Amino acid sequence: MKHYKSFSFGILFLTFFGLFSCEDKTTNTQEKQPYFDLKGFIAMKIQEIDSMEVIKVSQVQGVENQTNVIYSIQDWEEEFGLFTAADINKSSLLQSYQTESSTDSLTHTLYPKSEGKVKYIKILYSNDEVSSVSIKVAEENLFYTSTTLAELYMDSVSNVVDHYSIETTQKIWFLDANKMKIRGEIVPTR
């Protein structure tokens, strides 16, 4: 009976130890991502602008429409979905990007022979804080090409998203190109 109790205690101890050690490994893995954590950065920035008003200008095939809207977190997740989807911290892309960094910039550029839709991610810094993020996403096959350029800028004082732009050009083989632009400016709360 004594052996059974000590055996049970040992299993219980190892179970708790295993749970806590797994949690620490997950945290360390997230901190050691090979590329800029774009997905995590966007999630953090969305929290900061929840329920803020944005002046949004949409332009499709030259026709412009301006609206003032207040976005919830879910709305921002949809609006910035392109940025989140452009996160390149995937095991299949581990050796696909060349990284260049300096004190005020970080750039991940897809190697010429590598396959990937995200062509580059450029991050600019000011006072050790991200001041802007630019991405290029492109896809091409025999019948279709699509190129999207997206930029996100932070306010230099508050470091909250100040404005953004997303521009997409799509071309189907025998049709005219379809061009879409979205510009948004966050209205600061007073």
Side-chain angles (χ1 to χ4, degrees):
M1 189 71 140
K2 265 187 178 178
H3 296 292
Y4 181 74
K5 285 183 182 179
S6 62
F7 179 74
S8 296
F9 178 78
I11 290 177
L12 187 61
F13 175 78
L14 288 175
T15 303
F16 281 118
F17 179 77
L19 287 174
F20 288 114
S21 66
C22 288
E23 185 176 333
D24 290 339
K25 287 179 185 175
T26 303
T27 304
N28 290 340
T29 302
Q30 290 173 350
E31 291 172 5
K32 294 179 183 180
Q33 293 183 346
Y35 305 116
F36 181 80
D37 181 12
L38 187 57
K39 186 176 182 179
F41 179 77
I42 294 299
M44 178 181 65
K45 291 300 171 184
I46 285 173
Q47 296 295 320
E48 296 173 353
I49 57 176
D50 178 31
S51 300
M52 292 182 80
E53 183 178 2
V54 61
I55 301 168
K56 184 175 176 178
V57 178
S58 304
Q59 190 177 52
V60 179
Q61 296 300 91
V63 177
E64 193 170 288
N65 183 32
Q66 180 176 324
T67 57
N68 288 29
V69 292
I70 296 176
Y71 277 163
S72 68
I73 288 177
Q74 289 177 328
D75 296 325
W76 282 118
E77 286 172 347
E78 185 177 320
E79 187 79 351
F80 291 163
L82 175 72
F83 288 98
T84 303
D87 189 281
I88 56 176
N89 285 299
K90 300 174 177 112
S91 58
S92 62
L93 299 174
L94 190 57
Q95 301 296 323
S96 300
Y97 291 86
Q98 175 183 351
T99 299
E100 296 176 18
S101 65
S102 67
T103 55
D104 60 351
S105 70
L106 174 66
T107 304
H108 303 300
T109 307
L110 186 69
Y111 283 117
K113 302 234 184 227
S114 295
E115 291 186 22
K117 293 179 183 180
V118 179
K119 303 307 177 187
Y120 66 74
I121 298 174
K122 295 180 183 179
I123 297 94
L124 296 181
Y125 294 92
S126 177
N127 298 322
D128 294 328
E129 297 286 344
V130 174
S131 61
S132 70
V133 175
S134 302
I135 63 172
K136 179 179 181 181
V137 178
E139 185 177 3
E140 184 175 348
N141 63 39
L142 187 59
F143 303 106
Y144 172 81
T145 60
S146 174
T147 303
T148 300
L149 301 172
E151 300 173 318
L152 189 65
Y153 296 91
M154 296 341 116
D155 180 83
S156 61
V157 176
S158 67
N159 202 36
V160 173
V161 175
D162 181 65
H163 63 282
Y164 63 95
S165 66
I166 301 169
E167 185 174 336
T168 300
T169 303
Q170 297 175 332
K171 173 85 172 97
I172 297 176
W173 182 40
F174 53 88
L175 299 175
D176 292 337
N178 185 14
K179 296 182 180 184
M180 298 168 279
K181 293 181 185 179
I182 296 173
R183 289 187 321 260
E185 182 178 336
I186 310 300
V187 178
T189 54
R190 299 189 199 310

